[in-house]
Amino acid sequence: MRVLMLAPPGGGKGTQGIRLAEHLGVEHVSSGDLLRAAVAERTPLGLQVETYMNAGELAPDALVTEAIRPILKTRDDYVLDGFPRRLAQAEGVDFDAVVFLDVPHDVVKERLLARGRADDTPDVIENRLREYDDDTHPLIDHYQDKGVLLRVDGDRPPDEIAAELREKL
Ligand code: AMP
């Protein structure tokens, strides 16, 4: 089974994606984790994406696609977190289910400020939310049209959300 987690930044796609992957017995693949590891290791990819990540902007499609595609090619099943993040990245990747964790912007802002990751400062958070609205949100309609979208209320205790996902997937 191939599942995509879609949510605004701070919407819980990492937390729920890991739990769902465990439940399904498949790998959790996170583009954000992969890119953060590349930055930490100072690889050529890391050096190219670092400024975008620090600014809360999406990294160039070609770079992220080249980094993720080989990982997907060698696996049949996965829970994918953070890719595709833009319609231009969606070509050639199909999902059995796309989970949309719906969380209002004011709630995710509070969560991100409390989390305090390097890219969780007020200015960067605003940029990430804007990029989400402009670039990532259109994917929701895209997968709705394909008939694979599962909308879940993400403004609830994590255990409740995880239980709903286990029941429905
Ligand atoms: P995340 O951990 O999913 O919040 O991602 C952290 C940052 O990594 C984002 O703000 C982007 O800068 C970058 N990133 C992650 N996934 C992608 C993607 N699919 N396309 C472009 N940039 C990405």
Side-chain angles (χ1 to χ4, degrees):
M1 187 174 205
R2 296 177 178 187
V3 180
L4 169 65
M5 304 300 293
L6 273 184
K13 62 187 165 51
T15 307
Q16 295 299 334
I18 289 168
R19 291 180 69 159
L20 182 62
E22 234 164 62
H23 169 70
L24 296 173
V26 304
E27 194 169 345
H28 172 250
V29 180
S30 156
S31 56
D33 286 350
L34 185 139
L35 297 177
R36 273 185 291 278
V39 171
E41 288 160 22
R42 319 299 301 157
T43 67
L45 171 69
L47 296 174
Q48 282 174 287
V49 298
E50 187 172 23
T51 28
Y52 296 97
M53 295 179 76
N54 288 344
E57 287 165 14
L58 294 182
D61 294 330
L63 288 178
V64 185
T65 303
E66 272 168 38
I68 286 274
R69 284 272 159 86
I71 298 177
L72 304 185
K73 260 200 198 136
T74 53
R75 289 159 177 81
D76 289 328
D77 303 287
Y78 39 77
V79 171
L80 198 44
D81 159 0
F83 181 93
R85 190 84 146 236
R86 208 153 30 197
L87 277 172
Q89 299 175 359
E91 214 173 298
V93 218
D94 285 315
F95 298 99
D96 302 298
V98 175
V99 174
F100 167 43
L101 298 171
D102 197 357
V103 187
H105 276 20
D106 54 337
V107 174
V108 295
K109 269 188 218 172
E110 270 175 41
R111 283 192 199 169
L112 290 169
L113 287 169
R115 186 171 73 174
R117 209 169 69 189
D119 56 349
D120 288 339
T121 60
D123 284 356
V124 176
I125 289 171
E126 286 304 326
N127 274 347
R128 288 164 67 203
L129 285 172
R130 205 171 24 242
E131 293 255 329
Y132 169 77
D133 288 338
D134 292 349
D135 290 336
T136 306
H137 202 81
L139 286 169
I140 292 163
D141 288 340
H142 174 76
Y143 290 116
Q144 174 96 56
D145 290 348
K146 285 184 175 262
V148 291
L149 194 78
L150 171 63
R151 187 199 159 280
V152 172
D153 177 1
D155 187 12
R156 288 183 298 161
D159 284 349
E160 264 181 43
I161 300 169
E164 180 174 349
L165 292 180
R166 280 198 302 273
E167 185 193 307
K168 296 201 167 146
L169 294 173

